[in-house]
Amino acid sequence: MRNAIILDENTVMTIDNTGCVGEKDLDVVFAPNSITAAFCLRTAILEQWAAGAMPKQIVVANFTGDNAWEDYINGFQTIYDEIGEPLPPISGSSESNFPSLQSALSVTVIGKKQFTNSHDNVDYYIIGKPLIGKAVLEQADQVAKLREIYECLQKGFIKAIWPCGSKGIQHEVEQFTGHQSAKFDLDGTASAGPSTAIVVAVDRNQIDKFHSVVSAPITPVQI
């Protein structure tokens, strides 16, 4: 488990935020609101999977303004279109009293435990490359794909996952594997932004099947 909050033995809460990314003139990174929302939800979903849970409810705090709400919902829908599952119920609110100068969004996901993560008889890999800002959009083929990860989880090829963020892949690999001397052929200090790279524990008996499903770059981790 990574940053999930365990509410009870079956209920898991995860949260992700984004700020200064969107369509406003003073945003640091310009991106369509729908894409901003998709990557924000993506991280919260990956955190759910890391905790062995599946999302059941999405709660949105929209500080960008009422006009962005529909775009954000459309972005959430694209994520579930990719996964191939129905979009969970959505609730939340928008800041409409005062207009903001920059975009800001927070997404909370409530999920239920569905499976137990395991590190028995596994090898470790990193799916995707660490990317941030405009590079996320410009190098989309280097980003770990939710549909493929979900398929591998369902089929048991992947037995546990760990999304990477701003602290760098080296930190995340060490946390996930419990090995401080883990080595891999990537920049361990680079930020993976909205979980563009993910560490996975792959069943040693199904490594070929794992490779046949995943199209993003795969980097082995040496323990």
Side-chain angles (χ1 to χ4, degrees):
M1 186 181 68
R2 195 170 181 268
N3 293 323
I5 299 169
I6 307 303
L7 300 179
D8 59 40
E9 62 180 8
N10 293 313
T11 309
V12 175
M13 181 172 70
T14 59
I15 302 171
D16 194 55
N17 308 305
T18 180
C20 307
V21 180
E23 301 178 7
K24 289 182 178 286
D25 291 340
L26 294 181
D27 283 335
V28 176
V29 175
F30 179 85
N33 288 329
S34 59
I35 292 178
T36 302
F39 275 99
C40 190
L41 177 61
R42 164 196 175 87
T43 299
I45 290 173
L46 286 167
E47 296 276 12
Q48 287 280 326
W49 292 349
M54 293 298 294
K56 299 299 181 182
Q57 175 78 43
I58 299 170
V59 183
V60 182
N62 164 29
F63 299 96
T64 307
D66 284 334
N67 291 339
W69 181 267
E70 184 175 354
D71 289 341
Y72 285 159
I73 302 305
N74 290 338
F76 300 154
Q77 183 64 62
T78 65
I79 288 293
Y80 272 85
D81 288 344
E82 177 187 352
I83 295 172
E85 295 286 352
L87 183 67
I90 298 173
S91 59
S93 66
S94 299
E95 171 56 68
S96 56
N97 290 314
F98 303 103
S100 63
L101 298 179
Q102 294 173 299
S103 303
L105 171 70
S106 178
V107 176
T108 299
V109 175
I110 308 297
K112 293 293 184 182
K113 294 279 285 185
Q114 297 286 316
F115 55 91
T116 301
N117 293 321
S118 172
H119 290 255
D120 295 334
N121 193 40
V122 300
D123 288 329
Y124 296 101
Y125 296 87
I126 299 166
I127 304 175
K129 297 289 180 69
L131 301 170
I132 193 169
K134 293 181 180 179
V136 176
L137 303 179
E138 295 169 350
Q139 302 179 49
D141 61 329
Q142 305 293 299
V143 176
K145 296 175 176 58
L146 289 186
R147 177 186 57 79
E148 295 172 353
I149 295 166
Y150 185 55
E151 180 179 348
C152 287
L153 283 169
Q154 285 184 307
K155 294 181 176 179
F157 306 159
I158 291 176
K159 301 176 76 172
I161 76 165
W162 190 273
C164 299
S166 59
K167 293 182 179 179
I169 294 177
Q170 186 70 45
H171 171 80
E172 307 289 9
V173 168
E174 291 174 359
Q175 292 292 307
F176 184 51
T177 65
H179 291 270
Q180 303 300 310
S181 59
K183 297 180 180 179
F184 45 86
D185 190 19
L186 289 172
D187 181 356
T189 65
S191 171
S195 302
T196 60
I198 298 162
V199 193
V200 295
V202 180
D203 186 335
R204 286 195 183 119
N205 297 322
Q206 305 198 69
I207 289 175
D208 288 343
K209 294 178 180 178
F210 162 72
H211 279 274
S212 71
V213 171
V214 177
S215 61
I218 299 173
T219 303
V221 176
Q222 299 175 2
I223 303 299

